[in-house]
Amino acid sequence: MEFAEWQAYDRATGALNDEWQAELLANIHELLQFQAYLTGQAHFTDKHHKKGPAPKPERYPRPHERKEVVVPVPAEGDDEWVQPPEGEEEDGE
């Protein structure tokens, strides 16, 4: 019955991709950060050393949250566009 449910899910949404794996790895990364932070705070702090050796945990960015840098391409006839000097190509070759 469970296999039939997975077949129906696959037909409805398509095959699973690597997103779930990336999410799982990000969660594991955050848990390890938190564990290191707690261990450091519990065992390596006292009256003289108030700050533990491990930094505070930060949220690990997910692949779908990363922003791509978009470089604007000027339209033809745009006066603000600076033409490269003669003899140099635009792509840096």
Side-chain angles (χ1 to χ4, degrees):
M1 185 167 170
E2 184 179 351
F3 183 66
E5 289 176 0
W6 278 110
Q7 284 179 323
Y9 178 83
D10 185 55
R11 276 189 236 131
T13 61
L16 293 175
N17 56 15
D18 291 337
E19 263 185 56
W20 68 272
Q21 185 179 15
E23 180 70 27
L24 181 65
L25 290 174
N27 287 336
I28 291 171
H29 179 81
E30 289 174 354
L31 287 172
L32 289 173
Q33 272 187 329
F34 189 67
Q35 182 181 12
Y37 178 72
L38 286 180
T39 304
Q41 292 297 93
H43 295 289
F44 299 105
T45 57
D46 56 12
K47 291 180 183 178
H48 303 291
H49 304 94
K50 296 187 183 216
K51 187 175 180 183
K56 283 193 172 189
E58 296 180 4
R59 187 170 189 284
Y60 191 79
R62 278 33 177 193
H64 65 275
E65 295 174 342
R66 294 184 185 142
K67 295 181 180 178
E68 294 182 22
V69 177
V70 178
V71 178
V73 177
E76 288 187 33
D78 193 355
D79 294 337
E80 294 180 20
W81 180 252
V82 177
Q83 296 293 326
E86 289 185 31
E88 291 185 18
E89 295 181 1
E90 289 184 26
D91 58 359
E93 290 181 8

